[in-house]
């Protein structure tokens, strides 16, 4: 079992819709959770981090964490074509970082 | 967010030569930096974890004598690809861990695209 699992997609949503990206992790001791966005040919950039159960909102982005169920999700409201990218989930148990393989999102104008 | 600078952004070299890539944390001290490799349309692959003042920890299957890592200061880690060959052509990305405020966040450099002829 991989440390972090993501649906590779591709996920396609129409412009203006809500995009929902999901991630599950295996290490119950994980304390920190991150979402990165990676455009094609570029390096990952941090979008959000979350440490506590519940929701964390930042602009059009909402991260949701459920430690009991070991999943973390990212919602993108009012999706824009510029949101088209690969989204990486990362989990940080202790000194290790584990990345998922990423979900490819395409926002269709 | 914190800034991580990676240089060069693009390098073309002849087979058999060595290439050095630098990774700097500009506004924070990073005791730990990471080196990744990414092939087109594939996911990030962790190559090694670089700890300031000690030897790097390499992932299984990564040749430590081919990919030399030096983390001599709290703001600089270097990756040297020795005797590069065409199969080493890839996108190399470094990251640095920012532990300020106990947030333990990993920030990425812009990456280095290596093409070995």
């Amino acid at each position: 079992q991989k440390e972090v699992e993501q649906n590779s997609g591709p996920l396609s949503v129409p412009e203006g819709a809500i995009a929902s990206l999901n991630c599950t992790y295996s290490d119950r001791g994980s304390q920190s959770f991150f979402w990165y966005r990676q455009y094609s040919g570029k390096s990952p950039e941090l979008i959000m981090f979350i440490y506590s159960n519940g929701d964390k909102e930042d602009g059009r982005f909402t991260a949701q964490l459920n430690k009991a169920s070991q999943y973390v999700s990212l919602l993108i409201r009012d999706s824009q074509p510029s949101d088209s990218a690969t989204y990486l989930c990362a989990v940080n148990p202790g000194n290790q970082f584990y990345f998922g393989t990423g979900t490819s999102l395409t926002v269709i104008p | 967010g914190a800034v991580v600078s990676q240089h060069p952004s693009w390098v073309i070299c002849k087979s058999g030569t060595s290439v050095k890539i630098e990774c700097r944390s500009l506004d924070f001290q990073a005791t730990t930096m990471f080196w990744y490799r990414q092939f087109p349309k594939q996911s990030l692959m962790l190559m090694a974890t670089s700890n300031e003042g000690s030897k790097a920890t390499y992932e299984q299957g990564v040749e430590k004598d081919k990919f030399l890592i030096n983390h001599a200061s709290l703001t600089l880690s270097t990756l040297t690809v020795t005797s590069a060959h065409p199969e080493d052509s890839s996108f190399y990305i470094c990251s640095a861990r920012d532990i300020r405020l106990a947030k333990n966040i990993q920030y990425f450099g812009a990456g280095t695209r290596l093409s070995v002829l």
Side-chain angles (χ1 to χ4, degrees), chain B residues 32-115:
Chain B
T32 305
M33 292 185 175
F34 304 89
W35 288 95
Y36 295 86
R37 181 166 58 180
Q38 189 173 37
F39 292 106
K41 299 191 184 301
Q42 294 189 21
S43 57
L44 286 175
M45 187 187 76
L46 179 65
M47 299 176 66
T49 300
S50 169
N51 296 296
E52 186 270 336
S54 63
K55 291 182 179 180
T57 302
Y58 291 82
E59 295 299 301
Q60 191 173 8
V62 178
E63 300 175 59
K64 62 180 181 180
D65 293 331
K66 180 167 185 64
F67 299 100
L68 300 178
I69 292 173
N70 184 282
H71 193 160
S73 78
L74 287 171
T75 60
L76 174 64
S77 176
T78 60
L79 167 68
T80 301
V81 183
T82 63
S83 186
H85 288 94
E87 57 266 30
D88 298 323
S89 299
S90 188
F91 190 41
Y92 292 86
I93 312 172
C94 74
S95 70
R97 187 168 72 180
D98 183 357
I99 61 172
R100 292 175 299 177
L101 304 178
K103 285 191 168 29
N104 205 15
I105 296 174
Q106 194 175 157
Y107 292 98
F108 286 87
T112 297
R113 199 161 300 282
L114 172 62
S115 295

Side-chain angles (χ1 to χ4, degrees), chain A residues 50-96:
Chain A
I50 185 168
Y51 303 104
S52 305
N53 273 329
D55 295 0
K56 179 181 179 183
E57 187 174 316
D58 184 1
R60 296 187 295 111
F61 299 96
T62 299
Q64 299 175 317
L65 175 61
N66 184 321
K67 288 186 177 181
S69 300
Q70 294 177 246
Y71 82 78
V72 58
S73 62
L74 179 70
L75 301 178
I76 306 175
R77 290 182 300 281
D78 188 23
S79 295
Q80 301 296 308
S82 59
D83 295 325
S84 298
T86 296
Y87 290 80
L88 303 171
C89 169
V91 173
N92 173 221
N95 291 322
Q96 295 295 318

Side-chain angles (χ1 to χ4, degrees), chain A residues 10-106:
Chain A
L11 173 66
S12 295
V13 299
E15 184 174 354
I18 296 175
S20 177
L21 306 163
N22 299 309
C23 170
T24 58
Y25 60 94
S26 61
D27 191 331
R28 283 193 173 274
S30 301
Q31 297 294 320
S32 309
F33 307 86
F34 308 88
W35 282 100
Y36 290 84
R37 176 176 62 199
Q38 186 177 23
Y39 291 113
S40 180
K42 302 293 185 182
S43 66
E45 59 178 317
L46 180 69
I47 298 176
M48 293 192 70
F49 55 87
I50 185 168
Y51 303 104
S52 305
N53 273 329
D55 295 0
K56 179 181 179 183
E57 187 174 316
D58 184 1
R60 296 187 295 111
F61 299 96
T62 299
Q64 299 175 317
L65 175 61
N66 184 321
K67 288 186 177 181
S69 300
Q70 294 177 246
Y71 82 78
V72 58
S73 62
L74 179 70
L75 301 178
I76 306 175
R77 290 182 300 281
D78 188 23
S79 295
Q80 301 296 308
S82 59
D83 295 325
S84 298
T86 296
Y87 290 80
L88 303 171
C89 169
V91 173
N92 173 221
N95 291 322
Q96 295 295 318
F97 278 89
Y98 296 106
F99 282 86
T101 54
T103 298
S104 175
L105 170 67
T106 300

Side-chain angles (χ1 to χ4, degrees), chain B residues 5-30:
Chain B
S5 172
Q6 187 173 343
H7 178 81
S9 57
W10 197 296
V11 59
I12 301 173
C13 69
K14 293 182 178 180
S15 184
T17 60
S18 294
V19 174
K20 180 185 281 188
I21 303 170
E22 291 188 350
C23 182
R24 295 179 184 273
S25 55
L26 296 186
D27 53 355
F28 66 100
Q29 293 181 331

